[in-house]
Amino acid sequence: MYTVNSDQMEILKKLTQVVQKSIAPHAIETDTNGTFPKASIQALADAGYFGLTLPKDVGGMAQPPRVFVAVVEEIAQACASTAMIYVMHITATQGILKSVTLGERESLMRDIAAGKHLTTLAFSERGSRSQFWAPVSQLTANDDGFTTDAIKSWITSASHASSYLSSVQKPGAESPMEVTLYIARPEAKGVEIGQGFNGLGLRGNDSLPVTFNEMTVFESDLLTKQGEGASMMLEVLLPWFSIGTAAMANGLCRAAVRTTAGHLSSTGFEHTRSQLRDLSNLRSRLAEMSVRTEQSRALLAHTVAEMENPTELTPLYVLQSRLAGIEAAVDVTDLAMKACGGAAFSKHLNIERLFRDARAGWVMAPTADHLREFVGRALTGLPLF
Ligand SMILES: Cc1cc2nc3c(=O)[nH]c(=O)nc-3n(C[C@H](O)[C@H](O)[C@H](O)COP(=O)(O)OP(=O)(O)OC[C@H]3O[C@@H](n4cnc5c(N)ncnc54)[C@H](O)[C@@H]3O)c2cc1C
């Protein structure tokens, strides 16, 4: 679907082996116990996938957006929690790659590519909730550089990541949109990590609140120049996050279509000697699921081609892809629940896990509400904010 060359196909074939051997076997336990999928993430690190999109001279694989989405879609079919952790990691990695201010940029990228450093995003704050573009925390200058107090409300991989790519208002900002991005370290003085993520879906995510109490931010930790974080957010992080979460949604949809088709074809009524697939209403649901899935995948395939050769329409495609993906995942997994009935409601088909995991994409910012607003604004020539 995402049109890859033969070298890229080899990367994907190797990934399939990693997924089958080291990720899929942990998916149920991850969901049931709400535990971070440590072994799955380690398997991706060991096989080099932490550096998928980093340049070869730092040990990365230098792969474009189309390979990223194909990788995420494959992982998500087995374990959406692992896929989400990976999307956050690759998105933050892109920020590090594009930084012109970060002190340890090169060594950080080498550590990431070597599988020694997991990173993530820390944008959401208690005070600005889903409106990630407007942090309420602020930097204050001092002799060591800066300090900040922040209540970051959700950080995926919070107690397992080696760094958090964070947002803050620049010192003396006159508007919350005067954002600076920086790297925070979980082991820094003043960092307090919450405990026990217990979500409806993506239960392995370790998405916890983290408080920064008078935490020092050194000049060399700045990922952007002061007040120039919004452009990195919108031009680098938002696109990679959007295509990654769209790919995750597409993976959930594919898993739902496959499992539903398998169930309808293999289960039946003894008294009429017929199968579930002989009921036209169930076939109709399955057809709708498949159409929604392939529509979303086709839009994403077009969007990654746009990102690789940008035009003025690329940002619009990026937003639309995420919107189409997260809405398809909610609808397709809902249809799967209805098509498979009690067999889906119970846990043995795995469909209820897909249904719960799919709800998370809708809630994460930019939410479906924000995306509708952004797309409508872009189409009518209004500024996004
Ligand atoms: C599993 C999971 C993992 C997450 N991981 C991370 C992470 O790693 N890093 C991170 O920074 N954040 C993360 N988040 C947080 C996420 O991105 C959102 O910030 C958070 O879920 C929003 O919380 P809220 O619904 O309380 O927000 P609220 O802002 O209270 O939203 C409530 C409702 O209002 C709507 N709404 C809000 N503003 C507008 C508007 N302007 N126009 C129309 N409707 C609006 C929303 O769409 C939503 O339906 C994660 C969330 C989840 C669920």
Side-chain angles (χ1 to χ4, degrees), residues 331-346:
D331 295 345
V332 166
T333 55
D334 183 58
L335 284 163
M337 290 294 292
K338 291 170 183 158
C340 299
F345 194 80
S346 65

Side-chain angles (χ1 to χ4, degrees), residues 35-38 118-119 156-164 186 193 204-206:
T35 43
F36 187 79
K38 223 170 171 175
L118 178 70
T119 183
T156 290
S157 314
S159 49
H160 293 84
S162 306
S163 64
Y164 307 148
I193 303 173
N205 259 30
D206 190 31

Side-chain angles (χ1 to χ4, degrees), residues 260-286 339:
T260 303
H263 182 67
L264 300 191
S265 314
S266 61
T267 310
F269 306 98
E270 285 180 27
H271 65 293
T272 53
R273 293 200 183 132
S274 64
Q275 291 195 307
L276 289 173
R277 70 179 174 200
D278 296 319
L279 293 169
S280 66
N281 60 332
L282 303 190
R283 292 198 304 272
S284 167
R285 280 189 187 124
L286 180 60

